[in-house]
Amino acid sequence: MPRILPGCHDAAAAIARWMRVSYLVVLLAVAWGLSACVPPADISDPTARAQMITTFRAGQTALECTVGCIASWVQNRRAAGALDTAGRWEELALLVARIGYMQDIGYYYLGRAAAGMGLPDAARTH
């Protein structure tokens, strides 16, 4: 009967476990990558832009995007900070609403923009 070296069975099991975990990580990365392809809302259309501002002024902007907006938010977060610092409130509100990233920072910027535009009710809502 062949002699099995000590620890070989454990190593094979560890490799098999590592391969299963790696496969799962790859699947999750692909799923996340595909969901990140959701484009931000288009504000080049004047009607859509006006509707977005009207919704914002009413305090009804809903940020509903999660994973699919992360890449867009990361690319634009410095721009949002710069717009906030410069007091360019309408542009800030449009940027945040266009991306739609559902995180506290997005609502913070919406609140700052509303307060800066003299919309206290919308600022409290956001």
Side-chain angles (χ1 to χ4, degrees), residues 1 7 22 27 32 37 53 59 65 69 75 78-79 82 84 86 104 107 115 122 125:
M1 179 179 238
S22 297
L27 278 176
W32 179 79
C37 295
I53 288 296
C65 188
C69 299
Q75 290 174 347
R78 288 189 181 158
D84 179 36
D104 290 344
Y107 285 109
T125 303

Side-chain angles (χ1 to χ4, degrees), residues 1-6 8:
M1 179 179 238
R3 184 172 175 208
I4 299 175
L5 296 174
C8 286

Side-chain angles (χ1 to χ4, degrees), residues 27-40 63-75 99-103:
L27 278 176
L28 290 173
V30 169
W32 179 79
L34 291 174
S35 69
C37 295
V38 176
L63 305 178
E64 298 174 337
C65 188
T66 54
V67 175
C69 299
I70 291 173
S72 185
W73 179 255
V74 168
Q75 290 174 347
I99 295 170
Y101 186 47
M102 186 176 62
Q103 291 291 321

Side-chain angles (χ1 to χ4, degrees), residues 1 23 49 62 82 84-87 92 105-106 116:
M1 179 179 238
Y23 179 73
R49 184 182 177 103
D84 179 36
T85 301
L92 176 60
I105 189 69

